[in-house]
Amino acid sequence: MKHPPPFARALCYGAYAGTLKEAVHLLKFQGIKRLARPLGGLLLALDLPGADCVAPVPLSPGALRRRGFNQSYLLARALAAGLGLPLAGDVLYKRKETPSQVGLTRAQRLGNLKGAFALRRKPDGERVLLVDDVMTTGATMGACARALLRGGAKEVTAVSLARSP
């Protein structure tokens, strides 16, 4: 790789297609939040490394207001509960509104997220499982992982429910 990602590894439950894609859409766009626990539970089937906490990819304040919830937070909460780990829902925040990543090239995605994420608290020496619903190019996970590592995280593992082809 010319530019390896900042996270140690990326793990995903399945392809962003079929029933899994439908379930993600029902959670994310139809607001059927009761799907978060079973979907987050699917992540327990992954060969997860040792970790100290589970952190969700944050939404911007505007996106959170519009949607009413953060689907990544709900998935991370289910994973943390299943693993018996603390949920670090406060460690990261998205400090600026960014256009949707849908339809953007990898380079555009990277530029779109430059400086978008910051820390509320430093994850000094922690091994973090960073959770998002769908991973496409890894730009969002990479931007979050960079912020966590700059703040002192020992290691970041990107964990997503689905991987877009």
Side-chain angles (χ1 to χ4, degrees), residues 13-107:
Y13 178 77
Y16 189 54
T19 304
L20 187 57
K21 182 176 181 177
E22 289 176 38
V24 169
H25 276 249
L26 288 170
L27 169 64
K28 190 172 183 173
F29 301 118
Q30 301 299 315
I32 302 176
K33 294 184 273 189
R34 67 180 179 271
L35 289 172
R37 187 174 295 140
L39 289 173
L42 294 175
L43 299 174
L44 293 168
L46 297 173
D47 186 18
L48 298 165
D52 301 302
C53 66
V54 179
V57 168
L59 291 177
S60 67
L64 185 57
R65 265 191 311 280
R66 285 187 297 278
R67 184 166 294 148
F69 66 97
N70 178 349
Q71 72 283 353
S72 297
Y73 177 90
L74 297 177
L75 295 170
R77 183 174 66 185
L79 179 60
L83 293 172
L85 291 174
L87 176 63
D90 63 339
V91 71
L92 280 170
Y93 71 98
K94 192 168 184 186
R95 63 176 163 197
K96 69 177 190 176
E97 295 285 334
T98 56
S100 171
Q101 299 278 82
V102 176
L104 299 181
T105 66
R106 185 178 195 294

Side-chain angles (χ1 to χ4, degrees), residues 60-159:
S60 67
L64 185 57
R65 265 191 311 280
R66 285 187 297 278
R67 184 166 294 148
F69 66 97
N70 178 349
Q71 72 283 353
S72 297
Y73 177 90
L74 297 177
L75 295 170
R77 183 174 66 185
L79 179 60
L83 293 172
L85 291 174
L87 176 63
D90 63 339
V91 71
L92 280 170
Y93 71 98
K94 192 168 184 186
R95 63 176 163 197
K96 69 177 190 176
E97 295 285 334
T98 56
S100 171
Q101 299 278 82
V102 176
L104 299 181
T105 66
R106 185 178 195 294
Q108 290 169 324
R109 285 171 182 254
L110 290 170
N112 192 29
L113 294 172
K114 191 168 179 74
F117 298 99
L119 297 176
R120 289 195 197 284
R121 69 166 181 82
K122 292 186 178 229
D124 287 326
E126 292 180 278
R127 296 166 300 158
V128 181
L129 297 177
L130 178 64
V131 178
D132 205 359
D133 56 345
V134 179
M135 186 171 173
T136 304
T137 63
T140 300
M141 291 283 214
C144 289
R146 271 189 286 287
L148 290 164
L149 292 167
R150 276 195 306 268
K154 181 177 181 179
E155 181 181 81
V156 178
T157 297
V159 179

